[in-house]
Amino acid sequence: WHRAHQKRLNAEAIRDSILSVSGRLDRKMGGTSVPVHLTDFLTGRGRPGGSGPVDGHGRRSIYIKVCRNFLPAFLTAFDFPIPSTTVGDRLVTNVPAQALALMNDPFVHEQARLWGDRVMKSAGEEGLLVAIDRMWQQAFGRPPSGAEIAMARSFVEDNGAEGWADLAHTLIQAKEFRFIP
């Protein structure tokens, strides 16, 4: 890994990946755009009349309506291009705002909770180890190591239902979730 030329996913792919692991990704193509979710901090002239849902109804990022003065904060943290200028090549930065967005954004919390709830239900039917393995496969495309299984098992057993959502949130925050080799 230390020699690999890693590439970070772009903002839209990160958001769509989060929707995918949570089970909320709507793969339907076409249709109308989804209004951007407006927070209390998005104020000013030209503010759209209504706010869209936090998860954009599960639609892919390409269907989120772009208003030049009211960009989605989550996507902006991950170098979403500013639509008022032309961009030949996207910037790829690694700044603290990205980690903070993954840690605190309501969208990420909601999707982690949904993913955790879904996995917790399947763990009751299929077993704890199968559920943990599925989470790693969905998040990273690989099985968990022995140490990762032990850590996840201990964490979930100690924290109950909230443990599944917290584990899902932790996997979304991992560098391996946002980068491809």
Side-chain angles (χ1 to χ4, degrees), residues 145-155:
S145 68
E148 290 169 332
I149 291 172
M151 177 274 311
R153 182 178 190 166
S154 172
F155 184 78

Side-chain angles (χ1 to χ4, degrees), residues 32-72:
T32 59
S33 60
V34 179
V36 68
H37 175 71
L38 299 172
T39 65
D40 294 338
F41 300 106
L42 293 174
T43 61
R45 193 176 84 203
R47 181 180 164 106
S51 176
V54 173
D55 73 344
H57 295 301
R59 297 297 310 266
R60 291 182 51 217
S61 299
I62 195 168
Y63 295 109
I64 293 179
K65 186 175 185 176
V66 176
C67 298
R68 288 188 295 176
N69 295 338
F70 302 96
L71 298 175

Side-chain angles (χ1 to χ4, degrees), residues 46-169:
R47 181 180 164 106
S51 176
V54 173
D55 73 344
H57 295 301
R59 297 297 310 266
R60 291 182 51 217
S61 299
I62 195 168
Y63 295 109
I64 293 179
K65 186 175 185 176
V66 176
C67 298
R68 288 188 295 176
N69 295 338
F70 302 96
L71 298 175
F74 182 80
L75 295 179
T76 304
F78 289 96
D79 307 316
F80 186 72
I82 307 300
S84 59
T85 61
T86 55
V87 178
D89 195 18
R90 284 195 186 191
L91 297 173
V92 179
T93 62
N94 186 15
V95 295
Q98 294 166 353
L100 291 170
L102 289 170
M103 203 168 13
N104 299 318
D105 193 276
F107 164 73
V108 178
H109 279 273
E110 178 182 77
Q111 299 312 307
R113 185 186 48 75
L114 290 170
W115 188 21
D117 290 348
R118 188 168 50 91
V119 173
M120 181 180 64
K121 289 175 188 169
S122 73
E125 300 166 5
E126 301 172 335
L128 185 70
L129 297 179
V130 172
I132 290 171
D133 183 69
R134 181 173 294 118
M135 287 185 86
W136 255 258
Q137 291 286 353
Q138 290 172 339
F140 309 134
R142 66 168 178 85
S145 68
E148 290 169 332
I149 291 172
M151 177 274 311
R153 182 178 190 166
S154 172
F155 184 78
V156 169
E157 287 173 345
D158 291 346
N159 295 291
E162 284 298 314
W164 287 108
D166 291 342
L167 178 61
H169 195 193

